Amino acid sequence: MFLNKNTKASYNFVAPEIEEDTEKVTEVQFPTFEKKTVTLSSNAGSATIKRTKTLVDISANNLAAATTLTLTANKIDAGSVVFVKYKCGGTAYNVTVKKNADDAGVTLAGTASSTTCKSVMWDGEAWIVLN
């Protein structure tokens, strides 16, 4: 099935069958990816999530202290995964991922003298660490 007749772009999926009610609306979540580069200010940064998979890269410089990363969106779909890439100098610092200021968030452990990439998933209510 072609989704775009001009570019011939298509996705490999089978449309769900609607058996009971032909008036139902069926949402299909396409696996899309986006990269966000975040600049930290006062050991904090934020990114707006628009895709089901997002790489948030805050590794432009070594972390100088424990850092808070706020991930926001108009609507974050349950099952959306965010990969957080960051690097520490000689001291290991953690990154706390939150949805908003009131959220306790989850903590990603940093490793001294290395670049780390951890993933978190939105379960509909909170972020959970995948690795």
Side-chain angles (χ1 to χ4, degrees):
M1 171 179 178
F2 286 108
L3 298 178
N4 184 324
K5 290 184 180 181
N6 294 328
T7 64
K8 307 294 185 214
S10 65
Y11 289 90
N12 296 324
F13 75 96
V14 176
E17 291 183 27
I18 302 174
E19 298 173 2
E20 297 174 12
D21 185 0
T22 58
E23 298 298 317
K24 283 186 179 178
V25 174
T26 303
E27 248 184 72
V28 178
Q29 187 179 53
F30 291 102
T32 59
F33 179 84
E34 181 176 32
K35 180 179 178 182
K36 300 273 187 174
T37 302
V38 174
T39 303
L40 297 177
S41 175
S42 300
N43 302 317
S46 65
T48 301
I49 305 305
K50 296 180 182 177
R51 306 285 187 257
T52 58
K53 290 188 178 177
T54 306
L55 168 63
V56 176
D57 188 350
I58 57 176
S59 65
N61 296 304
N62 293 336
L63 297 182
T67 300
T68 300
L69 176 63
T70 304
L71 302 176
T72 60
N74 291 339
K75 177 185 172 193
I76 300 174
D77 293 322
S80 293
V81 176
V82 176
F83 303 91
V84 182
K85 180 181 172 189
Y86 55 100
K87 66 182 177 179
C88 298
T91 303
Y93 293 110
N94 296 337
V95 174
T96 301
V97 177
K98 298 180 172 193
K99 184 177 183 216
N100 55 45
D102 299 329
D103 181 15
V106 295
T107 301
L108 308 177
T111 304
S113 302
S114 94
T115 300
T116 302
C117 187
K118 302 268 184 169
S119 57
V120 293
M121 182 182 74
W122 181 251
D123 72 356
E125 296 179 12
W127 292 106
I128 40 178
V129 180
L130 296 177
N131 65 1

